Amino acid sequence: MKTYRLLVGSEYALAFQGESLVSAVEDNFTHIAKALHVGNVAGYYLLSAKMAYDPSIFDGEGGAVLTVVAQGSDSLVGYDESKDPPKTYAAQINGVTPDELPATHNFEIDPERTFDPITDDLTMYDNGFRLGVVWAMIDRIADRYAQINVKNADMFTSRYPEQKNANPVAFTHKMLADLSGLRPKKSAAADKLMARIHGILATIDGPINLNYGWMGYHKTGAYFTRIPQRSHITTLRTARGKTQAQLAQEAGISLRQYQRIEGGKTEIGSVSYDTVIALAKAFGERPEQLKTAHAAD
């Protein structure tokens, strides 16, 4: 196990360990990204990450230069990081020898990776952001699983704004109590959301920034919105036994563009009609069928 140190600007921001340089960066990337101030409280969309050895840094001792390109500004503009312009972040890594990095190393980026409030480690996010995630999940249960109808169920947690501002945590527990009065029907999906809500609430300890709460709420809402498209298009493709690369080639679009459509990052309704026609032809479906979404839960 070897220890490396990350230099951001003129200050050492982080010490991290790994069996090798590459594995150390991969295993600690969440902490490295935070030290680099990548993105904002709502997260980021990683475009590229690479390392190269530079013999001139650290007063001639040499080390690695890490360069990260990501979307998600540091000015909290919108909650959808994919709409923010790309930004480049750089840092130096001390403790690296030339033989550990004989050539530039490009890290493999998962192009389908996107924010997932159900499985992601949310402890790296602000308390307010996490509370906003909880509000969106409460609204999701009220909207999809309540046996007693409620008006504007998708904004169930918009009620009692004064209490939300005065004591957001107490407000959240009141919403949970009110939610139980709607008699949510038993389902694996609803139970999973409820367990996740209580798990997130157990991690919240400290001041709440309601601006971050708004961002967590809408980012989680966007996740739930993408579920039908993601499920529907993936089902169409896998039913035909085709890979993403095959569909992209047959439709005449880039693999990355196709992956953003199937992953839900790009709404099918926002792409050009010619692209919809080309995709429908590749799927062997009518164009309107691509927009027929079936909820995953």
Side-chain angles (χ1 to χ4, degrees), residues 6-241:
L6 186 78
L7 182 70
V8 180
S10 59
E11 297 182 358
Y12 283 102
L14 178 70
F16 58 101
Q17 294 182 320
E19 295 294 337
S20 69
L21 173 62
V22 171
S23 65
V25 172
E26 289 178 339
D27 293 344
N28 294 278
F29 191 79
T30 298
H31 301 286
I32 291 172
K34 186 175 183 179
L36 281 169
H37 303 292
V38 175
N40 57 38
V41 70
Y44 59 88
Y45 181 64
L46 188 61
L47 298 176
S48 68
K50 64 181 181 180
M51 282 191 304
Y53 187 79
D54 185 341
S56 67
I57 61 177
F58 297 116
D59 296 325
E61 292 183 6
V65 175
L66 174 67
T67 305
V68 175
V69 180
Q71 288 174 291
S73 74
D74 55 4
S75 57
L76 309 183
V77 180
Y79 64 85
D80 186 349
E81 69 280 355
S82 68
K83 296 179 181 178
D84 289 330
K87 186 176 179 180
T88 300
Y89 306 81
Q92 298 174 357
I93 302 175
N94 198 1
V96 181
T97 59
D99 59 306
E100 289 181 277
L101 199 57
T104 298
H105 179 83
N106 291 285
F107 291 93
E108 185 176 345
I109 305 299
D110 182 358
E112 294 185 12
R113 186 72 181 99
T114 188
F115 174 73
D116 186 335
I118 308 299
T119 61
D120 283 357
D121 177 8
L122 299 184
T123 59
M124 299 301 295
Y125 291 86
D126 179 87
N127 281 323
F129 183 94
R130 278 179 274 158
L131 204 56
V133 171
V134 168
W135 296 338
M137 290 181 176
I138 291 174
D139 277 357
R140 178 72 170 183
I141 294 173
D143 182 44
R144 299 191 65 83
Y145 305 106
Q147 297 186 67
I148 298 177
N149 291 332
V150 58
K151 291 183 179 180
N152 298 321
D154 59 333
M155 289 294 285
F156 182 64
T157 55
S158 66
R159 304 182 300 166
Y160 314 119
E162 295 83 4
Q163 185 174 0
K164 180 188 288 186
N165 293 332
N167 192 330
V169 174
F171 162 83
T172 303
H173 286 288
K174 177 172 177 53
M175 286 297 94
L176 285 171
D178 288 357
L179 181 63
S180 67
L182 300 180
R183 294 168 49 202
K185 56 188 176 184
K186 297 295 292 183
S187 77
D191 290 347
K192 185 176 181 180
L193 282 176
M194 191 62 73
R196 182 60 167 163
I197 285 172
H198 289 296
I200 294 172
L201 287 176
T203 70
I204 296 176
D205 181 19
I208 305 297
N209 186 320
L210 288 181
N211 289 327
Y212 292 170
W214 179 87
M215 295 179 74
Y217 177 89
H218 287 287
K219 194 174 180 69
T220 303
Y223 165 83
F224 287 130
T225 299
R226 287 194 297 263
I227 286 178
Q229 177 178 309
R230 187 167 61 237
S231 174
H232 181 55
I233 293 183
T234 301
T235 299
L236 288 176
R237 176 177 60 79
T238 54
R240 286 151 183 78

